[in-house]
């Protein structure tokens, strides 16, 4: 049984369609990280009344920049470059989402929900990417991908921990008639 599993794994590693799936997943995750970096940058600039949230976002922005570099390095090692078109499309989507939230009176809350959603999405994306790398014979990429996964898990937890205090701060500022959206 173990020999047939090893043989099946070897067949996957040699399958061109499966290799294409891996490269596409790397490109998708790279584009996702670029979008996340832009979103984080805009939020960091805007949240004067929520310093703990800004601190968490700054830390993760630094990690996100490193993740982008790591993914670029992996793509390059496989003879690929990131998809410029995909980067532009996902960044545009991120810009539109930020613009929509920026005109709402509860901008900080909506962005907080989005941040948590993005972080959990990234956790799922890296988990899948690791499974694909392992199945396609790219075990050399797994440690770097696991590092990014751990960072995303920590970021998701950090954003989650901000939901109650930011919500309470938003309510308190609003009750005092102060600007609370950011």
């Amino acid at each position: 049984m173990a020999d047939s599993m090893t043989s099946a794994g070897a067949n996957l590693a040699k399958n061109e369609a499966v290799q294409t799936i891996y490269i596409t997943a790397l490109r998708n995750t790279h584009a996702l990280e670029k979008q996340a970096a832009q979103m984080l940058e805009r939020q960091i600039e805007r949240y004067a009344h929520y310093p703990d949230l800004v601190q968490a976002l700054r830390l993760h922005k630094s990690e996100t920049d490193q993740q982008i570099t790591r993914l670029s390095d992996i793509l390059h090692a496989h003879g690929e470059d990131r998809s410029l078109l995909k980067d532009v499309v996902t960044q545009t989507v991120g810009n539109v989402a930020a613009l929509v939230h920026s005109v709402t009176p509860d901008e900080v809350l909506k962005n907080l929900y989005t941040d948590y959603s993005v972080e959990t999405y990234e956790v799922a994306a890296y988990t899948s990417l690791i499974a694909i790398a392992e199945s396609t014979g790219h075990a050399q990429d797994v440690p770097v991908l696991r590092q990014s996964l751990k960072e995303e898990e920590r970021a998701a937890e950090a954003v989650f921990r901000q939901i109650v205090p930011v919500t309470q701060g938003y309510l308190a500022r609003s009750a005092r008639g102060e600007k609370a959206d950011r």
Side-chain angles (χ1 to χ4, degrees), residues 10-83:
N11 288 338
L12 275 179
K14 294 177 184 176
N15 184 292
E16 188 174 326
V18 172
Q19 294 300 320
T20 300
I21 291 168
Y22 181 57
I23 296 303
T24 300
L26 286 167
R27 285 182 179 153
N28 289 343
T29 306
H30 184 272
L32 175 63
E33 293 294 3
K34 295 277 285 191
Q35 177 186 354
Q38 282 192 337
M39 183 177 72
L40 290 168
E41 188 65 41
R42 278 189 302 279
Q43 291 176 14
I44 289 166
E45 295 168 354
R46 297 176 66 83
Y47 294 157
H49 302 300
Y50 304 96
D52 291 341
L53 177 58
V54 168
Q55 182 179 353
L57 295 177
R58 274 196 181 115
L59 171 62
H60 192 54
K61 170 66 168 73
S62 173
E63 291 171 336
T64 299
D65 291 341
Q66 293 170 21
Q67 292 164 0
I68 291 166
T69 300
R70 287 182 212 133
L71 289 165
S72 292
D73 291 347
I74 292 172
L75 282 164
H76 184 72
H78 291 285
E80 300 289 331
D81 285 320
R82 67 186 190 278
S83 168

Side-chain angles (χ1 to χ4, degrees), residues 150-162:
K150 296 260 185 257
E151 292 166 353
E152 294 302 344
E153 291 169 336
R154 282 193 309 266
E157 180 59 31
V159 171
F160 183 78
R161 284 192 309 265
Q162 289 299 309

Side-chain angles (χ1 to χ4, degrees), residues 80-95:
E80 300 289 331
D81 285 320
R82 67 186 190 278
S83 168
L84 183 58
L85 175 61
K86 193 167 285 188
D87 282 355
V88 169
V89 169
T90 56
Q91 289 173 30
T92 301
V93 169
N95 287 333

Side-chain angles (χ1 to χ4, degrees), residues 4-15 19 135-136:
S4 67
M5 292 299 286
T6 304
S7 177
N11 288 338
L12 275 179
K14 294 177 184 176
N15 184 292
Q19 294 300 320
S135 295
T136 57

Side-chain angles (χ1 to χ4, degrees), residues 84-122:
L84 183 58
L85 175 61
K86 193 167 285 188
D87 282 355
V88 169
V89 169
T90 56
Q91 289 173 30
T92 301
V93 169
N95 287 333
V96 169
L99 178 62
V100 169
H101 288 180
S102 71
V103 297
T104 62
D106 58 350
E107 171 188 355
V108 69
L109 296 180
K110 286 183 178 155
N111 282 337
L112 189 60
Y113 310 154
T114 300
D115 292 344
Y116 186 66
S117 296
V118 168
E119 294 310 323
T120 57
Y121 184 94
E122 289 174 327

